[in-house]
């Protein structure tokens, strides 16, 4: 009782008197109310759609008033359902606070890290988080994997603790920790290299090139290379994620200048090949950055201390293969 506000205590007591719901049902309903979709909620919660539907039905059966309704194929949350969602959010927050305070009383580090990562950085950032989080069960992680524009916007607005980027922003005062080199090569599938070979050190004018979307650091590096070397591009394909570009190259749709990170298995399995081109690779660095003067929580301070001590060992254990290229 010590950690629950009097209002929420009354709310919980009232609900418990005539309902037998679980915290899991509250979490599932809250996610459905947020996303307005059972399918999206199941994906977000990493549950099957039937499991989410069953939990929603079990939760709904405890109320005399509908919480949701389906019109056409669209799910809507009723006004009453919105009120229940608000109550569920408060209850879950208080339960999480109780958990955090319990850990704090035991002397464990508690809190939250918020990190925004450019899309290719999903192949990098988890390796620098896993050992830290495994030693601090009281720290929650919120990591947004998105495009570079949104990452830097979140950083500028001070909405996050850290950002992972491969090209440093020019308009922000930041500090950084450098992780590993980011090397960009020209890649193609063996079948495409055989059918449309590259001769010498120049890219053929009729070569299909696959680009990332506007604003991507990879796109900017690729366009800068093409411009500086005066390479005509007559055929262009644009895709909106590094994973999509990789799959297109694997399928033989075209060539692309891509970061080698995330391609280790495809290279070893000879599904994709580096095409030797003069002035490649392009080399930048993966950097964890934060606003200069940022006032960190104890969790943020502890994470920076962890990185100072462990970056080299993490690099050696997980990224030593990059030195071969």
């Amino acid at each position: 009782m010590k950690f629950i506000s009097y209002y929420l205590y009354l709310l919980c007591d009232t609900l418990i008197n005539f309902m037998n719901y679980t915290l899991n049902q509250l979490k599932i309903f809250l996610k459905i109310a947020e996303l307005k979709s059972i399918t999206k909620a199941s994906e977000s919660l990493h549950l099957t759609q039937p499991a989410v539907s069953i939990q929603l039905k079990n939760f709904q059966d405890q109320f005399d008033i509908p919480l949701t309704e389906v019109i056409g194929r669209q799910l809507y949350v009723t006004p009453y359902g919105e009120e229940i969602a608000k109550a569920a959010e408060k209850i879950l927050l208080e339960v999480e606070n109780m958990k955090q305070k319990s850990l704090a009383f035991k002397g464990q580090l508690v809190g939250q890290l918020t990190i925004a990562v450019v899309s290719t950085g999903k192949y990098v950032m988890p390796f620098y988080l896993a050992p830290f989080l495994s030693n601090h069960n009281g720290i929650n992680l919120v990591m947004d994997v998105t495009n570079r524009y949104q990452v830097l916007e979140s950083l500028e607005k001070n909405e996050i603790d850290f950002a992972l980027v491969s090209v440093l922003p020019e308009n922000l005062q930041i500090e950084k920790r450098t992780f590993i080199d980011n090397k960009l090569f020209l890649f193609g599938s063996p079948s495409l290299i055989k059918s449309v070979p590259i001769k010498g050190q120049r890219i053929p004018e009729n070569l299909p090139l696959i680009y990332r979307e506007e604003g991507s650091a990879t796109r900017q590096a690729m366009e800068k290379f093409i411009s500086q070397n005066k390479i005509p591009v007559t055929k262009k394909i644009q895709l909106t994620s590094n994973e999509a570009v990789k799959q297109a190259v694997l399928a033989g749709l075209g060539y692309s200048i891509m970061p080698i990170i995330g391609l280790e298995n495809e290279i070893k399995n000879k599904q994709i090949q580096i095409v030797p081109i003069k002035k490649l690779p392009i080399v930048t660095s993966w950097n964890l950055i934060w606003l200069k003067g940022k006032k960190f929580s104890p969790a943020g301070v502890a994470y920076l201390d962890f990185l100072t001590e462990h970056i080299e060992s993490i690099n050696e254990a997980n990224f030593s293969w990059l030195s071969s290229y």
Side-chain angles (χ1 to χ4, degrees):
M1 202 82 68
K2 185 183 294 183
F3 306 127
I4 303 182
S5 68
Y6 182 66
Y7 167 76
L8 283 190
Y9 167 67
L10 290 177
L11 176 61
C12 291
D13 187 58
T14 301
L15 290 174
I16 289 171
N17 279 336
F18 64 90
M19 295 183 182
N20 185 30
Y21 60 85
T22 65
L23 291 177
N24 187 47
Q25 288 173 346
L26 291 178
K27 291 177 183 177
I28 289 173
F29 179 69
L30 187 59
K31 185 58 67 173
I32 292 171
E34 175 191 343
L35 299 177
K36 306 295 189 295
S37 166
I38 291 176
T39 300
K40 291 179 181 178
S42 65
E43 292 173 352
S44 176
L45 295 167
H46 305 289
L47 297 171
T48 64
Q49 187 170 331
V52 171
S53 296
I54 290 171
Q55 291 299 321
L56 174 61
K57 182 180 184 303
N58 291 340
F59 188 60
Q60 171 68 81
D61 287 347
Q62 298 176 77
F63 297 86
D64 295 329
I65 303 173
L67 303 179
T68 63
E69 59 183 349
V70 177
I71 301 176
R73 294 185 177 182
Q74 178 62 50
L75 182 144
Y76 295 90
V77 180
T78 65
Y80 182 68
E82 294 286 359
E83 292 301 314
I84 295 299
K86 291 176 184 178
E89 183 176 20
K90 292 176 182 177
I91 292 169
L92 291 170
L93 179 60
E94 289 296 335
V95 169
E96 181 62 27
N97 287 340
M98 285 191 286
K99 174 185 173 183
Q100 297 296 324
K101 290 180 180 180
S102 176
L103 292 170
F105 273 114
K106 294 178 182 179
Q108 296 187 33
L109 187 66
V110 298
Q112 178 171 284
L113 289 179
T114 54
I115 303 175
V117 177
V118 295
S119 60
T120 310
K122 66 179 177 286
Y123 302 114
V124 177
M125 195 68 226
F127 293 97
Y128 296 91
L129 287 167
F132 175 75
L133 294 175
S134 67
N135 290 329
H136 299 288
N137 294 328
I139 294 181
N140 293 324
L141 171 68
V142 177
M143 188 170 80
D144 184 24
V145 180
T146 184
N147 61 54
R148 184 173 184 271
Y149 174 81
Q150 291 177 323
V151 167
L152 295 181
E153 182 179 46
S154 296
L155 183 67
E156 185 175 13
K157 292 180 178 179
N158 198 29
E159 296 173 344
I160 55 176
D161 296 317
F162 302 102
L164 182 70
V165 297
S166 59
V167 177
L168 297 176
E170 297 179 355
N171 61 330
L172 295 177
Q173 296 293 314
I174 57 143
E175 297 182 69
K176 65 184 176 72
R177 289 282 191 280
T178 299
F179 288 168
I180 54 174
D181 285 344
N182 180 40
K183 299 179 181 180
L184 287 76
F185 295 85
L186 182 68
F187 286 98
S189 69
S191 60
L192 184 62
I193 291 173
K194 184 176 180 179
S195 62
V196 189
I198 293 179
K199 299 178 181 179
Q201 298 295 321
R202 295 278 295 179
I203 300 176
E205 294 184 11
N206 63 343
L207 182 71
L209 286 177
I210 304 174
Y211 288 73
R212 284 284 305 279
E213 76 282 2
E214 294 282 353
S216 160
T218 299
R219 167 75 173 252
Q220 292 174 358
M222 184 173 175
E223 289 183 327
K224 183 178 180 180
F225 174 80
I226 289 171
S227 175
Q228 289 178 342
N229 290 276
K230 299 179 180 179
I231 300 171
V233 177
T234 57
K235 189 173 182 181
K236 181 187 297 186
I237 301 172
Q238 178 174 305
L239 300 174
T240 57
S241 75
N242 194 70
E243 189 65 25
V245 173
K246 179 172 77 171
Q247 294 303 322
V249 173
L250 288 171
L253 284 178
Y255 289 87
S256 186
I257 295 175
M258 303 167 58
I260 194 171
I261 196 72
L263 293 172
E264 180 183 12
N265 291 332
E266 288 79 7
I267 293 172
K268 287 182 178 179
N269 295 332
K270 298 182 179 180
Q271 297 173 284
I272 198 169
Q273 294 179 12
I274 295 174
V275 182
I277 290 290
K278 188 176 180 180
K279 298 183 181 180
L280 287 180
I282 302 166
V283 181
T284 58
S285 297
W286 285 108
N287 293 282
L288 190 73
I289 63 174
W290 60 94
L291 292 177
K292 191 172 184 179
K294 171 76 175 177
K295 303 298 183 184
F296 286 110
S297 67
V301 172
Y303 185 55
L304 287 176
D305 290 342
F306 166 82
L307 290 176
T308 299
E309 184 176 352
H310 295 285
I311 281 180
E312 290 186 9
S313 61
I314 292 172
N315 290 348
E316 179 62 27
N318 299 286
F319 300 110
S320 57
W321 64 274
L322 290 171
S323 61
S324 303
Y325 298 93

